[in-house]
Amino acid sequence: MSALRILVPIKRVIDYAVKVRVNKAQTGVETAGVKHSINPFDDLSVEEATLIREEKLGRRAPGGVEEICAFSAGPPKAQEILRTALARGADRAIHVELKEGEDLEPLSVAKLLKAVVEQQKSNLVILGKQSIDDDANQTGQMLAGLLGWPQATQACKIEFGEADAVSVTQEIDGGTQTVRAKLPMVITTDLRLNEPRFATLPKIMKAKKMPLEKKTLADYGVSGEKRLKVLKVIEPPPRQGGGKVENVDGLISKLKELGAI
Amino acid sequence: MACRQPLTPVLRRLTRTASSEIGRHSSKSQQALLRTTIRCLSTSQPRPLRQTPSRRTAQAKDEFTSTKYPEIQRDERFARLTPEHVAHFRHLLGDNAVIDGVTSPSAAIDDDLAPFNSDWMRKYRGHTQLVLKPATTTEVSQVLAYCNEHLLAVVPQGGNTGLVGGSVPVFDEIVLSLSRMNAILSFDPVSGVLVAEAGVILEAADTYLASAASPHIFPLDLGAKGSCQLGGNLSTNAGGLRLLRYGSLHGTVLGLEAVLPSGLVVDDLCTLRKNNTGYDLKHLFIGAEGTLGAITKVAIHCPRRPAAQNVALLGLPSYEHCRRAFSEAKAQLSEILSAFELMDAGSQALVTQVTGNTHPLADGGGPHPFYCLVETSGSNAEHDSEKLGAFLESVLDSGIVADGTLAADETQARTLWAWREGITEALGHLGGVYKYDVSIPLADMYALVEATRARVAEAGLIGEGDEFPVRAVVGYGHMGDANLHLNVATRRFDERVEGVLEPFVYEWIQERQGSISAEHGLGLAKKKYIGYSRNETMVGLMKQIKGLYDPNGIMNPYKYI
Ligand SMILES: Cc1cc2nc3c(=O)[nH]c(=O)nc-3n(C[C@H](O)[C@H](O)[C@H](O)COP(=O)(O)OP(=O)(O)OC[C@H]3O[C@@H](n4cnc5c(N)ncnc54)[C@H](O)[C@@H]3O)c2cc1C
């Protein structure tokens, strides 16, 4: 079996635990001064790549892991999540710097990743099934299409067999489905795949000093041109508050009033 | 954004652990704890801590306080409740504000009364037959005046999370629940002054402040925030997790409204930061544990909510190293340091045992003898990260810290906090706990845990097997405030344990000029021991105040002083 060269693309998004607010102009959400972190699905990709390397169990890659490369296209602060990925087990990190507020559409990201895969000679790409900011759930699929590679989406378990075979258990409605393909391939992660670890301090410190490869879109021959224009972003309608009834009779008459009984 | 809500990594993490855990042990108690943990991490809605049903594995369960402590006698000056009394209250407050076990006692009513009779630890249980839930200050005043006139004893009750048995009746005292007085009255985003009724739940107040157009923060935070009420917080002068940063309630409370047993409304709802006009009487109610009157409203000064917060968890080889780390943290993090918490290995092992979760530092050569949680809060994320990074690097390089981790996102930050905040609850799930909440000069602080452990071991009471009544002697607490929680976790009630612990612990503290109750108060549990921390003159003056405000002694009798 071939040694794995894993590419882990990650994205910096508004922290999952932060309540997002639409900006005044209704052109997007408020990002200034808001806590950002790694997209939770990408967190799982980083962890999985590290686990594949660490686990000596037979089910894990017989050919071993040659390299884990973390990649992010984003504003200067995306460096933080790349450093976290380094602290958690990535060997190298590449940063394509975008201007603050500049955003790429999924197809541009897929084209960019294709170029990175070719340059890095990656044979496995593990990426989040979607990023929680625009929920497109397209990048992995488009990348597989552009590369002409097999894809397994929504992975909750990844196993490696002989002769470059990879079995992936996928989350599907109401259950799971297991598929098998041969390397090279694209896998997207789903929530049950693993439990991301805490990076230890010595590794965090070491990662701070590791070099980041800085690139531009032009280095990969990608333009980043947009096909869609956002017209308007609005908040979901506020929840209607409930009313309180004094007693059982009150409840019954309320239900009657609403036509529920 | 469609995905933000359904996606819950923490929840998932915990539920998964939950299901495997349940598979192994299949115990109701574990499921309950895990459910609570999930709730605690995934929602900011008030969460009722009381609904963890399983806390009473080992100790004599739900025994009446009066049976357990036969030396406490009912004060026969107090009248016994009659249906006439209750009819009066019903007339005053309306039927929905009264839980009445007097007029027509029944098992169903006893069930309704039960949560008001038992404390959070299930250590104390009273015999109340009547709970009153007034909705306004006027109603509180009418109720208290009537009780005073008819010599009916009263226990004010907030969220009932107090840890010294102060919030539940001993005998048949009426429970005066403030829970319906839960309105936020005003908030001034410029001065940061919040005015609210006493029954507002702490977490609800903080959530309200967080969502204000200019987000603010409640200057108090503690593990029971989902249940405890502002009135209860003031009455216990709760300290909590960020006292280090925001100071004590004696500093942040600007004014309050309280009702004396005579029915007199003490309107001191001042919203000024400065007011040097006469004795500052509000301070008497802060920490009075309901013995002087009922607090009905609060005005409190709230700081701006910090835009940036970071949380790090450190593993350290000895207590001395923790002290040095704290000293370094103060020097290097200075104005952004917002919490410095201590946990020993034993406390973390118990949380691991109860939750089944993997400790965040399990990989890095753990377990370590000590852990410290460091939190920074500031207005500029980059500035803070840089400072914290430099601090962490220096303590790691100088060998003060053996290992550690830094939360990479908000979810991880909450997970780290859960290892500190979850200790009280985890301990509770394992059986009875002897709790000592003490303040000792930092140099000696942890020595108390070691001395106690040695003493319990010498008496042959601690060990792995079921034959030993004591499971573990652990220490944790607010290192930044020199406040230690010494907890002795037991498998079952055994009077030899108490004999070994007391008065040993109190004498040990007295010798070092410490306080036998740093932040939990006196209540019933510590009433006897006030002499270890206050001299006779002080106690005498306190009794004079009590006599002045509550001449008939109807407010929270049998407790405090
Ligand atoms: C998990 C957990 C963690 C905790 N952590 C901390 C901590 O970090 N720091 C700390 O200081 N404490 C802590 N505590 C204990 C703390 O004292 C209480 O949680 C809280 O301050 C009490 O509020 P409450 O509304 O539950 O009051 P209760 O328990 O209902 O009452 C406490 C006392 O105040 C009196 N009282 C209540 N409301 C009023 C009122 N309106 N007027 C007059 N008297 C009143 C009661 O009679 C009683 O004597 C913790 C408790 C738990 C369960």
Side-chain angles (χ1 to χ4, degrees):
Chain A
M1 167 152 181
S2 340
L4 291 173
R5 292 184 59 82
I6 309 175
L7 179 70
V8 184
I10 59 181
K11 184 174 185 186
R12 178 177 180 270
V13 298
I14 292 183
D15 193 284
Y16 161 67
V18 169
K19 193 172 178 294
V20 292
R21 293 183 200 220
V22 172
N23 64 16
K24 285 216 177 66
Q26 295 196 325
T27 54
V29 297
E30 209 61 79
T31 55
V34 173
K35 186 169 176 98
H36 284 67
S37 317
I38 186 171
N39 175 38
F41 291 102
D42 304 347
D43 211 14
L44 302 166
S45 319
V46 175
E47 183 65 25
E48 194 63 16
T50 311
L51 286 174
I52 293 172
R53 161 141 62 206
E54 281 175 356
E55 279 183 35
K56 311 253 174 328
L57 302 173
R59 79 182 182 89
R60 286 297 164 145
V65 174
E66 191 179 303
E67 186 178 77
I68 301 171
C69 177
F71 172 91
S72 188
K77 282 190 188 148
Q79 286 187 16
E80 289 167 14
I81 61 166
L82 284 169
R83 299 234 179 254
T84 307
L86 289 170
R88 294 246 310 274
D91 303 297
R92 289 172 44 221
I94 303 173
H95 180 204
V96 165
E97 193 167 318
L98 304 181
K99 281 196 285 294
E100 196 68 58
E102 187 180 352
D103 212 10
L104 297 177
E105 287 178 2
L107 182 59
S108 305
V109 180
K111 285 179 181 166
L112 178 61
L113 291 178
K114 174 170 184 277
V116 179
V117 164
E118 282 161 359
Q119 187 209 43
Q120 296 298 317
K121 305 199 169 43
S122 316
N123 54 7
L124 177 63
V125 185
I126 308 180
L127 64 176
K129 72 168 180 182
Q130 68 199 75
S131 70
I132 61 169
D133 50 2
D134 37 42
D135 281 346
N137 197 335
Q138 295 173 354
T139 308
Q141 292 88 325
M142 288 186 184
L143 174 63
L146 293 175
L147 288 166
W149 290 4
Q151 56 166 315
T153 54
Q154 274 111 279
C156 60
K157 191 166 166 193
I158 304 175
E159 290 170 300
F160 295 86
E162 288 308 315
D164 285 355
V166 184
S167 313
V168 176
T169 306
Q170 306 175 280
E171 299 267 349
I172 56 171
D173 263 358
T176 59
Q177 155 178 298
T178 306
V179 296
R180 188 163 59 217
K182 278 198 168 184
L183 290 176
M185 77 182 289
V186 172
I187 299 176
T188 71
T189 62
D190 211 331
L191 290 177
R192 253 170 286 270
L193 184 58
N194 59 47
E195 199 175 322
R197 72 189 69 190
F198 283 86
T200 67
L201 266 190
K203 287 184 181 157
I204 295 174
M205 296 305 161
K206 205 171 130 217
K208 270 190 163 179
K209 296 181 181 114
M210 285 166 74
L212 288 185
E213 284 171 54
K214 286 218 175 154
K215 299 277 185 188
T216 61
L217 285 179
D219 291 339
Y220 292 103
V222 176
S223 72
E225 137 222 37
K226 286 208 186 245
R227 300 177 180 213
L228 290 176
K229 182 170 161 42
V230 175
L231 299 180
K232 195 173 176 191
V233 178
I234 51 167
E235 300 256 6
R239 250 193 65 189
Q240 303 278 314
K244 263 197 185 154
V245 292
E246 283 292 316
N247 48 32
V248 177
D249 289 343
L251 178 66
I252 292 172
S253 59
K254 190 85 206 165
L255 289 173
K256 280 196 178 132
E257 194 185 306
L258 295 171
I261 50 173
Chain B
M1 296 295 145
C3 179
R4 288 192 96 84
Q5 268 73 40
L7 164 81
T8 38
V10 182
L11 230 165
R12 167 184 53 88
R13 236 170 259 171
L14 286 159
T15 19
R16 221 184 20 174
T17 332
S19 47
S20 56
E21 195 58 29
I22 288 157
R24 248 183 292 143
H25 300 282
S26 213
S27 99
K28 278 233 165 61
S29 63
Q30 301 232 335
Q31 297 179 28
L33 175 75
L34 289 156
R35 265 201 305 276
T36 343
T37 327
I38 290 165
R39 235 180 299 152
C40 141
L41 291 177
S42 63
T43 163
S44 59
Q45 289 305 303
R47 86 199 105 93
L49 278 165
R50 295 200 53 83
Q51 286 175 4
T52 48
S54 56
R55 232 173 291 112
R56 329 160 235 170
T57 26
Q59 211 166 30
K61 291 177 197 167
D62 281 338
E63 213 181 312
F64 285 112
T65 312
S66 56
T67 324
K68 230 160 127 185
Y69 302 93
E71 67 278 13
I72 309 175
Q73 293 289 318
R74 185 177 184 281
D75 185 343
E76 294 303 333
R77 283 187 309 121
F78 296 132
R80 293 191 187 261
L81 276 165
T82 62
E84 289 69 47
H85 294 137
V86 179
H88 178 79
F89 291 127
R90 282 183 186 276
H91 173 72
L92 265 184
L93 307 176
D95 288 344
N96 289 318
V98 179
I99 305 179
D100 170 16
V102 178
T103 319
S104 45
S106 72
I109 300 255
D110 282 347
D111 281 351
D112 290 350
L113 291 168
F116 297 90
N117 267 320
S118 296
D119 75 321
W120 190 85
M121 299 179 295
R122 302 281 156 95
K123 199 165 165 186
Y124 300 97
R125 185 175 166 205
H127 299 268
T128 200
Q129 292 302 317
L130 184 66
V131 175
L132 302 178
K133 301 181 182 175
T136 63
T137 303
T138 311
E139 287 182 359
V140 173
S141 165
Q142 287 167 334
V143 166
L144 287 183
Y146 182 85
C147 291
N148 199 33
E149 191 186 329
H150 293 84
L151 285 178
L152 294 165
V154 177
V155 178
Q157 192 176 85
N160 197 7
T161 66
L163 296 175
V164 288
S167 51
V168 290
V170 181
F171 299 102
D172 55 349
E173 300 93 281
I174 297 172
V175 170
L176 181 75
S177 166
L178 278 297
S179 53
R180 282 176 71 210
M181 293 192 61
N182 62 355
I184 291 186
L185 302 173
S186 70
F187 174 63
D188 176 355
V190 179
S191 65
V193 178
L194 175 80
V195 182
E197 289 182 331
V200 170
I201 287 174
L202 175 59
E203 192 165 47
D206 190 54
T207 308
Y208 172 87
L209 291 165
S211 56
S214 58
H216 281 63
I217 187 169
F218 201 89
L220 169 76
D221 186 14
L222 46 80
K225 60 177 164 277
S227 301
C228 63
Q229 301 177 2
L230 304 188
N233 297 144
L234 260 67
S235 299
T236 53
N237 186 20
L241 305 166
R242 300 211 174 79
L243 187 128
L244 172 70
R245 174 64 167 272
Y246 301 119
S248 109
L249 290 173
H250 280 296
T252 49
V253 171
L254 303 177
L256 53 76
E257 179 192 80
V259 180
L260 297 187
S262 64
L264 187 76
V265 177
V266 181
D267 178 1
D268 188 18
L269 206 58
C270 171
T271 56
L272 306 169
R273 290 206 75 183
K274 294 182 160 184
N275 180 13
N276 288 351
T277 50
Y279 300 125
D280 205 345
L281 297 181
K282 66 170 181 283
H283 289 294
L284 287 177
F285 293 91
I286 301 176
E289 299 182 42
T291 58
L292 298 181
I295 297 178
T296 44
K297 286 180 192 135
V298 181
I300 188 160
H301 181 245
C302 303
R304 260 306 176 88
R305 203 170 192 88
Q309 269 191 334
N310 288 300
V311 182
L313 184 69
L314 311 174
L316 305 98
S318 77
Y319 176 68
E320 180 49 31
H321 287 82
C322 299
R323 269 184 52 193
R324 283 166 59 197
F326 177 49
S327 175
E328 283 302 314
K330 279 201 294 186
Q332 298 190 34
L333 301 173
S334 55
E335 83 286 356
I336 60 166
L337 182 64
S338 57
F340 197 101
E341 298 283 311
L342 175 79
M343 296 154 269
D344 66 4
S347 68
Q348 298 299 281
L350 293 176
V351 179
T352 307
Q353 182 185 342
V354 172
T355 61
N357 294 337
T358 311
H359 194 273
L361 296 187
D363 276 352
H368 302 276
F370 289 90
Y371 297 90
C372 289
L373 185 147
V374 184
E375 185 195 71
T376 65
S377 305
S379 56
N380 182 325
E382 268 148 71
H383 165 265
D384 294 5
S385 299
E386 202 171 300
K387 261 185 160 169
L388 184 60
F391 162 73
L392 293 173
E393 197 159 353
S394 90
V395 287
L396 198 63
D397 286 349
S398 57
I400 297 177
V401 161
D403 190 23
T405 187
L406 184 62
D409 55 41
E410 191 55 32
T411 306
Q412 284 198 343
R414 291 182 196 185
T415 306
L416 293 185
W417 263 117
W419 285 89
R420 165 63 187 86
E421 288 189 282
I423 300 173
T424 317
E425 188 148 2
L427 277 162
H429 275 266
L430 291 170
V433 186
Y434 288 93
K435 287 179 174 292
Y436 302 93
D437 156 46
V438 305
S439 187
I440 308 167
L442 261 190
D444 281 339
M445 194 170 91
Y446 196 77
L448 173 63
V449 182
E450 285 158 352
T452 308
R453 200 179 284 139
R455 195 174 150 88
V456 175
E458 217 170 277
L461 296 175
I462 188 170
E464 291 285 309
D466 241 8
E467 65 272 28
F468 299 102
V470 175
R471 194 187 290 273
V473 177
V474 304
Y476 59 95
H478 313 298
M479 178 135 191
D481 319 325
N483 179 184
L484 176 81
H485 297 318
L486 165 68
N487 281 214
V488 179
T490 63
R491 295 194 167 84
R492 61 182 165 276
F493 182 73
D494 184 327
E495 55 187 29
R496 287 177 301 165
V497 178
E498 190 158 332
V500 165
L501 295 174
E502 292 171 17
F504 167 78
V505 169
Y506 299 118
E507 286 168 357
W508 197 98
I509 294 164
Q510 187 179 30
E511 276 164 34
R512 286 156 187 84
Q513 276 82 47
S515 168
I516 59 124
S517 189
E519 62 174 10
H520 294 165
L522 295 166
L524 193 61
K526 305 285 140 101
K527 172 185 164 144
K528 285 191 287 194
Y529 308 109
I530 186 171
Y532 288 100
S533 290
R534 300 277 198 191
N535 64 35
E536 260 173 50
T537 316
M538 291 307 296
V539 177
L541 288 170
M542 289 183 201
K543 286 189 170 150
Q544 283 182 19
I545 302 257
K546 167 79 177 171
L548 185 67
Y549 280 68
D550 180 21
N552 292 334
I554 63 160
M555 297 304 295
N556 219 354
Y558 318 108
K559 299 166 189 156
Y560 204 64
I561 46 169

